[in-house]
Amino acid sequence: MEQLMWRTPLPPLAALLLAASLGACGGKSKTEAPAAPTPVEAVRVTAPDAAGAVEGAGTLERRREMALSFRIPGVLTAMKVEAGDSVRAGQLIAAIDPAGVDARQQQTAADLDRARRDVERDRVLFDKGYVSKQRIDDRQSALKAAQAAYDAARFDRRWASLVSPASGVVLERRAQAGEVVAAGQVVARVADLSSPLVLRLPLAARDANRVRVGDAAEVTVRDLGGQPVTARVTRVGEAADTRTGAILVEVELANPPAALRSGQVAHARLNVRAAPGQASAYARIPAEAVLEANGQRAFVFRFDGGKARRAPVGFGGFDGDDALVSGLPSGAQVITAGAGFVSDGEAVRVIDPAHLGR
């Protein structure tokens, strides 16, 4: 009986010890589990004087595109072309009713004849002493005015017919026969197909300042599969747009595919040099990578061997969305998004920005 009473507590005690042992093992496992590296984004630093790239979007155009209009107002009696038609130099595009200019030409012709007769008559009278020299001078001035009016009317008569100034294609027709058109109103647009196809890019001043004539470029049109076309910079604007501040840069395409058309939106990547005055001193990194900027000093976090390493840099200020820094070796990776949430020596991993928030 005593042996039975001694042995009965053992199973509960063993169970308690076993439970404590298992609990201790479980707690130790959780304590020693390594924390997951903090996700961050990073960029690679290029040498300060290394070439970079500038990107932009614009509209494709032929370098010679002409907006055709009449010099005088009138009723449009003929419109000979449609959008997409091929035209040759000198081909009739449109015509207006010439009745008005014909009447003015006849009137100015009659005024010119009368002025000539007046001069001839008064010259005879002047030779006989019946009229003054001032009278002859007035008649000569009237004759010159009549001649000028007649020449202007004859010139206007030529503009009653509108012809193509170059061989090419009609891009757009903006009027129909029977409409009353004003002087200078565009009735058609014609492109000279012998002129090169160009892309005009509006760029911010800080980017346009890095572009030079002759810089290489690649142009892509997404609607046509995004196949890049070799190009080069041919013009850099000297004036900024008064509304946007953008500077126009012209890129000429070399051997563009026949499928490309004037008016299509295209993207370009220009291979440019570093900004003037900054090439020998500073590299560009995203502004969000800079921490504790104070005067000419600042700090960044470098991505080094899977860890964030705090590094001092020289600070040259901000330029748009970029910060100008010195003291980083070319090829170093600098943490951008997430830099404010890590500490020196913390384990981090660089991720694709597209995966954030998933």
Side-chain angles (χ1 to χ4, degrees):
M1 178 68 67
E2 292 181 356
Q3 291 180 352
L4 292 174
M5 292 178 63
W6 178 258
R7 291 177 181 176
T8 53
L10 289 178
L13 177 62
L16 290 173
L17 292 174
L18 180 61
S21 176
L22 292 175
C25 293
K28 182 177 180 181
S29 176
K30 291 181 181 179
T31 302
E32 294 182 355
T38 303
V40 296
E41 296 177 35
V43 297
R44 193 174 298 277
V45 179
T46 57
D49 55 354
V54 169
E55 297 185 5
T59 304
L60 291 172
E61 301 175 9
R62 290 289 172 177
R63 179 168 289 158
R64 288 193 64 207
E65 291 189 1
M66 296 142 284
L68 306 183
S69 61
F70 290 97
R71 183 177 178 274
I72 56 176
V75 178
L76 197 62
T77 58
M79 192 71 194
K80 299 292 188 179
V81 296
E82 297 287 344
D85 289 350
S86 297
V87 293
R88 64 183 184 279
Q91 179 178 334
L92 180 66
I93 300 293
I96 60 174
D97 188 351
V101 288
D102 285 345
R104 193 159 70 90
Q105 187 174 8
Q106 293 174 5
Q107 179 183 351
T108 55
D111 293 341
L112 179 59
D113 289 340
R114 183 172 60 252
R116 286 171 177 168
R117 291 195 303 269
D118 290 343
V119 169
E120 292 173 0
R121 183 177 61 252
D122 284 352
R123 184 175 290 118
V124 173
L125 296 176
F126 175 74
D127 292 340
K128 295 180 179 180
Y130 295 126
V131 297
S132 65
K133 181 65 167 63
Q134 182 180 355
R135 177 71 173 270
I136 292 296
D137 292 341
D138 291 342
R139 293 298 191 188
Q140 292 285 0
S141 296
L143 175 60
K144 291 180 180 178
Q147 182 68 57
Y150 174 75
D151 291 342
R154 188 174 59 177
F155 179 75
D156 287 346
R157 180 61 181 85
R158 294 203 304 268
W159 277 93
S161 296
L162 193 62
V163 299
S164 176
S167 297
V169 65
V170 178
L171 299 176
E172 185 181 8
R173 188 200 65 186
R174 295 188 181 179
Q176 294 280 6
E179 294 182 9
V180 176
V181 294
Q185 177 183 337
V186 177
V187 298
R189 291 177 57 240
V190 174
D192 182 357
L193 294 184
S194 65
S195 64
L197 194 63
V198 298
L199 176 63
R200 293 187 170 92
L201 302 170
L203 297 179
R206 65 177 180 271
D207 291 332
N209 289 339
R210 303 173 63 190
V211 180
R212 298 290 182 274
V213 173
D215 285 346
E218 285 188 347
V219 175
T220 57
V221 179
R222 292 177 181 174
D223 292 341
L224 300 179
Q227 184 67 27
V229 178
T230 303
R232 67 181 182 89
V233 177
T234 50
R235 287 185 177 86
V236 178
E238 291 295 334
D241 188 283
T242 55
R243 295 172 300 171
T244 64
I247 296 175
L248 207 60
V249 173
E250 182 186 273
V251 178
E252 180 180 323
L253 280 66
N255 301 318
L260 292 183
R261 296 288 189 271
S262 179
Q264 287 181 304
V265 176
H267 294 73
R269 179 181 176 87
L270 314 180
N271 299 320
V272 299
R273 65 203 72 186
Q278 298 169 358
S280 61
Y282 298 107
R284 287 176 173 265
I285 61 174
E288 61 184 332
V290 174
L291 306 172
E292 302 177 22
N294 184 11
Q296 297 182 347
R297 300 290 294 173
F299 291 90
V300 299
F301 276 110
R302 291 180 54 187
F303 177 73
D304 185 11
K307 296 184 181 296
R309 302 295 183 185
R310 183 181 172 91
V313 293
F315 182 59
F318 295 103
D319 184 10
D321 296 331
D322 295 335
L324 308 178
V325 299
S326 62
L328 292 172
S330 179
Q333 287 184 281
V334 175
I335 296 175
T336 55
F341 302 97
V342 299
S343 57
D344 191 19
E346 182 177 341
V348 295
R349 62 187 179 91
V350 176
I351 62 173
D352 187 341
H355 295 159
L356 287 178
R358 291 187 180 180

